[in-house]
Amino acid sequence: MNNTDDKAKIPKREIIQNELLTETSERLSRIDKEFADGFDIMNRYNDTVTIFGSARFDESSPYYQKAREVATALSNEGYTIVTGGGSGIMEAGNRGAFEANGNSVGFNIKLPKEQSLNPYTTESKPFRYFFSRKVILAYGASAYIYFPGGFGTMDELFEIMTLIQTKKMPAAPIILVGGEYWMHLDYFIKSQLLKGAQTISPGDEDLYTITEDIEVIKAVVNEHRDKVSPLGNTKPDKED
C-alpha cells in the first residue's frame, strides 16, 4: 500500500491538524530567529535612538530634511541611529547618521509590494513579521523620536507610550517632531483622554515632548543619558 492510500485512511480533520502543527512549528522557528538576530544586533550598540515616521516623504519634504539633520546631530553626540530601514523618514534618519560617519542600523520589513532597504545603513536585517520588528525597534533605546506618519507610526508611538505608562519598560524620552502635525493629537490627548473621558492619569500627557528645535532634542536625550547608568536602559525589566 502506497503513501496515498495510507493518507486516505487518516481522517481529514487529523490531516489538517497535522499540517497546522507543522506550519505553527515552522512559524515559531522563524519568529524565534528574528528575535534572536535582532537582539544580537542591538546588544552590540550602546546609546541607540530610534527614529520613526512615514515612508512617503521624499527628499524634497521639510520633514525628511529635518529627520536627516536630527540624526546627524545625535550621531555626532555618539548615538547609534536605528530606523525601520525603508524610505522616507527612515531613509532620512539613516542618511543623517551615515553622512556623519556614525552607526546607522535599519530593520527592514518584507511586504507584498517589496519595501527596499535604503542605502544608508551600516548594519541591517530584514524582518518578515511586524510585531517582532517592533519589539527590536523599541528595545533599550535611549530615546524615541517620531516624525509625522500614518497608522504604522501611530501604532509604534502608542505602544511605546503604553509600555512606559504601565512601567513595562524603563522611561525614556519620547520626542514628537513637527508641531503643526502633532498639535491635533496633543489636543485630543489632553482634552479627551485626560480631561473628558479621563481614560489616562494626570502626568501621562507629559510622557512626550513636542519640539522642532534640534538643540532641545539633543538636550532632552543627553539629559536622560546622563541621568541613567550605562546599563540602566539597555534591558527591559525582568518579570517572574
Side-chain angles (χ1 to χ4, degrees):
M1 184 177 293
N2 58 38
N3 291 336
T4 302
D5 293 332
D6 290 340
K7 191 172 182 179
K9 291 186 176 182
I10 302 175
K12 185 176 182 180
R13 179 182 179 85
E14 187 175 340
I15 294 174
I16 294 174
Q17 287 177 329
N18 289 336
E19 290 176 350
L20 287 174
L21 286 172
T22 299
E23 181 181 343
T24 300
S25 177
E26 292 173 352
R27 182 175 298 174
L28 288 173
S29 178
R30 291 194 298 266
I31 292 169
D32 182 67
K33 188 175 189 313
E34 287 196 340
F35 278 129
D37 290 348
F39 286 132
D40 179 62
I41 291 173
M42 291 299 290
N43 284 334
R44 294 202 290 270
Y45 298 98
N46 293 322
D47 300 325
T48 63
V49 172
T50 306
I51 294 178
F52 301 89
S54 176
R56 301 189 182 193
F57 296 122
D58 61 24
E59 192 173 353
S60 66
S61 167
Y63 293 131
Y64 181 105
Q65 293 304 327
K66 177 65 75 170
R68 184 178 172 187
E69 293 170 7
V70 168
T72 294
L74 291 174
S75 184
N76 287 333
E77 293 291 313
Y79 294 96
T80 292
I81 301 301
V82 179
T83 82
S87 58
I89 297 301
M90 295 172 283
E91 177 183 297
N94 287 133
R95 183 175 180 178
F98 188 86
E99 291 173 338
N101 295 316
N103 295 319
S104 178
V105 180
F107 293 112
N108 197 29
I109 188 74
K110 298 176 182 177
L111 298 173
K113 293 183 178 179
E114 187 68 24
Q115 175 177 295
S116 299
L117 176 70
N118 72 67
Y120 301 105
T121 61
T122 56
E123 185 162 17
S124 64
K125 173 182 169 49
F127 277 72
R128 177 169 180 160
Y129 300 104
F130 269 111
F131 71 90
S132 53
R133 175 178 178 252
K134 282 202 306 178
V135 169
I136 301 304
L137 287 171
Y139 177 64
S142 296
Y144 303 92
I145 301 181
Y146 293 84
F147 285 81
F151 292 148
T153 301
M154 294 298 174
D155 175 47
E156 289 155 338
L157 169 61
F158 278 100
E159 177 162 350
I160 294 295
M161 289 203 294
T162 300
L163 291 171
I164 292 176
Q165 176 202 45
T166 57
K167 303 187 185 308
K168 288 296 184 179
M169 64 180 286
I174 298 172
I175 300 172
L176 313 183
V177 181
E180 184 178 356
Y181 179 87
W182 294 110
M183 66 179 181
H184 304 289
L185 177 62
D186 181 54
Y187 176 78
F188 175 76
I189 289 172
K190 291 174 178 176
S191 65
Q192 298 300 319
L193 302 188
L194 180 63
K195 295 180 180 178
Q198 298 183 4
T199 53
I200 62 173
S201 301
D204 289 342
E205 79 281 9
D206 297 325
L207 288 172
Y208 56 88
T209 300
I210 299 176
T211 184
E212 297 181 21
D213 190 321
I214 292 178
E215 292 304 314
V216 172
I217 294 171
K218 286 177 12 182
V220 170
V221 178
N222 285 337
E223 181 183 13
H224 175 73
R225 177 173 64 177
D226 293 342
K227 281 185 176 180
V228 300
S229 68
L231 297 178
N233 66 337
T234 58
K235 297 290 186 292
D237 292 338
K238 291 183 179 179
E239 296 184 358
D240 294 333

